[in-house]
Amino acid sequence: MSKMVPLPSKSIVPERDVNKPPILETNHLGIDFGGLTAVDDLTLAVGRTEIAGLIGPNGAGKTTVFNLLTNVYQPTRGDIMLDGVSTSKKSTAQVNKMGIARTFQNIRLFGHMSVLDNVKVGLHNLTKENLAVCLTHLFGYRKTEKQANEQALEYLDFFGMADMANFPAGSLPYGAQRRLEIARALATKPSIILLDEPAAGMNPSETAELMNNIRRIRDNFQIAVMLIEHDMNLVMNICEGICVLDHGKVIAKGTPDEIKSNPTVIEAYLGKKNDKKVEAKEGETNAES
Ligand SMILES: Nc1ncnc2c1ncn2[C@@H]1O[C@H](COP(=O)(O)OP(=O)(O)OP(=O)(O)O)[C@@H](O)[C@H]1O
Ligand SMILES: [Mg+2]
């Protein structure tokens, strides 16, 4: 892991990323839902190959941040820059094309479609133009289709799932469905992938495998990863920079060691960690859009 260095914005990024602009930046980002301020004054930066964490108690606003970053919601205040370009007024699909991919707190797959076709939905983002052209050139279309199959298989192979390619996605065990959702997001060739509670519902060996996979994603694709997670073992082991939200506001930013020993974080979150885990399990249906 590289040393973390501070930026003028008071965010921190890994030393290896510091000579290039952050892949993602938010400036004083905020959103109100009626009278409720769900996120307020969020200023953060994620380095280009950073594994970043976003943590905080239930209802702190973490998923709302992901919904803002992917333009599911329009911010009430502030802005978002992806690789130096504002994502304001873009659609969710456009933001995905610009380089942000995500997975969801509750798995969203096309359960009746094959595993392979689920990944091809991700690839489709990139082959849409080709498809339009190729519809009038059947040979070309077949070639594109063959390429899409090969590429999709490569993503599955990355997660050791190539042998499941023809199964209906909905028939896979839970952990495999989570991996498939990540594979589909990666197939859109993002420069940053957002993972919303990727370890939720996983047993310890699946969580250990996930940790390894998150590092492999960063190393192999040389992209940034930002994850929301309640599993503090996972967060403290793999995240480089961590941002802690409470009631929609940033209460701390720092390295795992800094966050673990921060009294405000312990008071608001870590001290109650065990309660939160129980709550997270009980309240698995949630307010996510
Ligand atoms: N579309 C919406 N309309 C109204 N309120 C919303 C909406 N989306 C989120 N909220 C509210 O914003 C707050 C933050 O919710 P959010 O889902 O972002 O929390 P979270 O940190 O992801 O929590 P958890 O750890 O339980 O997933 C909550 O009070 C939630 O009820
Ligand atoms: Mg959430």
Side-chain angles (χ1 to χ4, degrees), residues 162-201:
D163 56 344
M164 301 175 184
N166 296 319
F167 298 169
S171 73
L172 298 186
Y174 184 79
Q177 290 197 23
R178 286 244 169 230
R179 290 204 297 280
L180 175 56
E181 215 193 4
I182 298 175
R184 185 180 61 186
L186 285 174
T188 67
K189 300 210 164 56
S191 41
I192 179 167
I193 183 167
L194 312 177
L195 307 175
D196 196 345
E197 299 199 23

Side-chain angles (χ1 to χ4, degrees), residues 59 61-64 105 196-197 228 230 286 288:
K62 305 177 299 294
T63 297
T64 303
Q105 191 164 346
D196 196 345
E197 299 199 23
I228 294 172
H230 287 287
N286 56 68
E288 188 200 13

